[in-house]
Amino acid sequence: MKKHHPINDRFIPCGEGFTCAVCGCQVTPEGAGSRHRNHCPNCLCSLHLDSTPGDRAAGCGGIMDPIAVWVRRGGEWALIHRCRRCGALRSNRSAGDDNPVKLLSLAARPLAQPPFPLELLQRMADSLGCSVESP
């Protein structure tokens, strides 16, 4: 027996564009590589509109800032967004036309800004009798 999904916007492609509330970019659905466009390909920001994908039931409307990327099963990248207004976290698939510099900047952020001083690694290596060479 075939399983039926409840009717909601998650399963209906959205062909509408929008103006990004953060950078003002005119965003169109073309180039996203999926049926839905849920964030700006330029600045990667979104709006907090959904409680579950496509339901438009959040009622918050806050700006969703991209704070990280993660790799989904199969190698696809997804963005982690945090709402400026309520702090909610959401995951959104990356789109085919997302700004690659912004994506790589998000991915590199933990390495560029570790939660400890980099000199600590050298001190730890010295205390273990290891040699760590600087580039």
Side-chain angles (χ1 to χ4, degrees), residues 80-97:
I80 302 296
H81 285 102
R82 179 176 47 221
C83 182
R84 291 182 191 176
R85 185 175 291 161
C86 71
L89 295 172
R90 298 286 184 267
S91 175
N92 286 305
R93 293 174 60 193
S94 63
D97 59 351

Side-chain angles (χ1 to χ4, degrees), residues 47-51 57-65 81-90:
L47 292 178
H48 189 185
L49 301 175
D50 299 342
S51 293
C60 176
I63 302 290
M64 299 288 283
D65 291 312
H81 285 102
R82 179 176 47 221
C83 182
R84 291 182 191 176
R85 185 175 291 161
C86 71
L89 295 172
R90 298 286 184 267

Side-chain angles (χ1 to χ4, degrees), residues 15-39:
E16 298 177 12
F18 61 91
T19 301
C20 178
V22 175
C23 72
C25 183
Q26 293 297 317
V27 181
T28 61
E30 295 80 25
S34 83
R35 301 178 334 156
H36 298 279
R37 165 64 77 188
N38 55 17
H39 62 271

Side-chain angles (χ1 to χ4, degrees), residues 59-121:
C60 176
I63 302 290
M64 299 288 283
D65 291 312
I67 61 168
V69 294
W70 68 284
V71 181
R72 296 170 63 159
R73 191 177 323 165
E76 180 182 46
W77 279 29
L79 295 161
I80 302 296
H81 285 102
R82 179 176 47 221
C83 182
R84 291 182 191 176
R85 185 175 291 161
C86 71
L89 295 172
R90 298 286 184 267
S91 175
N92 286 305
R93 293 174 60 193
S94 63
D97 59 351
D98 282 348
N99 183 329
V101 172
K102 294 272 188 182
L103 288 171
L104 289 175
S105 294
L106 285 172
R109 186 180 294 165
L111 295 174
Q113 298 172 340
F116 52 82
L118 289 176
E119 296 77 29
L120 178 63
L121 291 177

